[in-house]
Amino acid sequence: MAMIEICNITKSYGEFKVFDGLSLEVEEHQVVCLIGPSGCGKSTLLRCMNGLETIQDGEIRIHGDRMSGPGVDVNALRRDVGIVFQSYNLFPHMSVLENVTLAPVKVLHESRASAEEKAMRLLKRIGLEHKAREYPDRLSGGQQQRVAIVRALAMGPMVLLLDEITSALDPELVSEVLNIVRDLAAEGMTMLLATHEMGFAREVASKVCFLYGGKVHEEGPPSQMFSEPKEERTRAFLQRIIEAGRL
Amino acid sequence: MGENEGNREGGLIADLLGSDRRFTAGTPPRDATGWSITALFVALFVIFATWSTLNGIHAALATVGVGGVLPAIPLVLCGIAALILLWPAVQSWRQSQVAKSALAGGDLVATRVATASLREYAFSTFGYAAVVVIALFAAQFFIANELAVSRTFFQVPLIVSSLSLVIKAFWTNIYIFVIAEILVLVWGLIVAIARMLPGDAARPIRLISMIYTDMFRGLPAIINIYLIGFGIPLTGLPVLKDLQPESYAILALTLTYGAYVAEVYRSGIESIHWSQVAAARSLGLSYMQTMRYVVVPQAVRRIIPPLLNDFIGLQKDTALVNVIGSIDAFNQARIVASNHFNLSPVTTVALLFILITIPQTRLVDKLIERDQRRTRAGGN
């Protein structure tokens, strides 16, 4: 049984069907990249997986346990499934250290000392321990996004969802963020990435899924998806990415 | 260059610009000597008006026995100070001459610089002249009708003799607004949070808090104070019927301003971008924890200026407690005023109210500035 099973989910905003019977499986330690045109539901899928948005039909299961619909303890779910956003969403009135320790202290009821010690270890790991007392607005976009990843990691999530985490960054800052994701992948973190970084997807993904028409239109290992996609739509999408000089 | 011109032919850009489009920004500036001449006339006129007013003040002072040489000294100094107005006007005139000779010499840049400076000096003259004219009107008002205005509002001996009585009564106002402000801060937040509780289950709570805000924002504070101050003692309710008038005032003002401040809190909370809530919730924080640690702390920083507005309003409305017979500064001053048939003690109260609001505004500005220096980029 796969760790995460997304079975036949549907969701619409009024007339517009975001998901129309979408299914997807993620094994433990897999890195799954979601690609597709804008508006195809990559971000929405991630947001549904940790309960920030609701689905209308179908099921999301983790280890066989239903994690969608009424009665789910979303706060507990979110401890297991962390998410990092495109625009970092750090708390501007808190220092870096307070950003990272808030949830461990208030949600996991860790002592402040141990939460800070863990946070400093994580910040050191990404080379930002000297910024612990700074406020987010004083950091570069790349630094903010690295802090946001650390903030999610501090909760010790089983799964990490990364929602276009490099899209808002200047090109020269992208690699410092991707390096962390690369390390996490190497250490076996289960991750789902919505991304436009095709080169990176090709390198780290265990599986690439092309979302189109409210479904996973095509999925496969990156070697196959990027070199010889079977579906016409996938080919057309990748062709446009190549024309834009992004692959 | 020649090649590029060739490429323009028939293109969209050529279509838009036409073939004879040239730079036009290099023409000489328009002559502005008129401004400097106007500035000179305005300065001279205002100076003469000042002298005439000062003369009037001197005559008025003489009628109340403060004539002679000594009081005339500050008046003469003021008359000399008025001459300062000539300085920017003369500078403006000199720049106009500089501009004229620069233009004759063909130096376009120097002409532009001098013309810009000419305008600046001329407009400075108008600005200062306007302020002086306003001051002159005020002075004329005070000396009109043989100092009638001054005697009505600023009878110095009465102000001095009643000062300690009025200030002592002003402590009642301070007591009322300090307690009420603390209560309003808490009560307003409770109402705002109640108004914004999510989910179907909280619908009745949202409704009742909406009814409360609508009612108490619509109800005039003076009627609220009157009803509570006179009504509650008549009800004979235990404990409540025996309170001091000040306590009724605090209760009434808290209810009225709680409604305003709840709306201020709500607008602050709603101004926090939903992505902050998403980030907090995605870390497993509950709705209330998200409010407590993420949304409200950011909202409070944004609402401090409007909150101060409401607080100043509340402070001023403490003067309304005279309707229920509390001896606050206004009531005390009115008693003194009616004994002496003169409004000067009420002027004292007016000045006291103004005096306490100004430092608050400055303090809040400082606090906001400090917070921004700490959390924003580019500060130190």
Side-chain angles (χ1 to χ4, degrees), chain B residues 27-47:
Chain B
T27 47
R30 231 178 319 155
D31 183 29
T33 319
W35 283 121
S36 61
I37 294 170
T38 315
L40 278 171
F41 275 112
V42 166
L44 288 172
F45 171 77
V46 171
I47 288 166

Side-chain angles (χ1 to χ4, degrees), chain B residues 316-328:
Chain B
K316 292 187 297 188
D317 279 358
T318 58
L320 300 176
V321 303
N322 74 80
V323 300
I324 53 171
S326 185
I327 302 295
D328 76 317

Side-chain angles (χ1 to χ4, degrees), chain A residues 47 50 52 74-75 78-79 81 83 85 89-94 102-103 106-107 135 137-138 151-152 155, chain B residues 274-276 278-287 289 293-294 297-298 301 373-380:
Chain A
R47 297 167 63 84
N50 80 342
L52 283 174
V74 285
N75 293 340
R78 287 163 185 159
R79 272 169 244 163
V81 182
I83 186 166
F85 301 94
N89 300 3
L90 294 180
F91 307 130
H93 60 301
M94 295 183 184
L102 175 71
K106 300 301 174 191
V107 179
Y135 284 83
D137 204 50
R138 304 259 187 114
R151 182 174 69 175
M155 290 296 284
Chain B
W274 59 266
S275 65
Q276 287 286 307
R281 296 306 304 273
S282 78
L283 288 167
L285 271 75
S286 69
Y287 176 81
Q289 284 177 318
Y293 299 111
V294 176
Q298 293 186 61
R301 285 168 165 79
R373 249 201 330 264
R374 203 166 52 108
T375 57
R376 299 273 172 86
N380 283 304

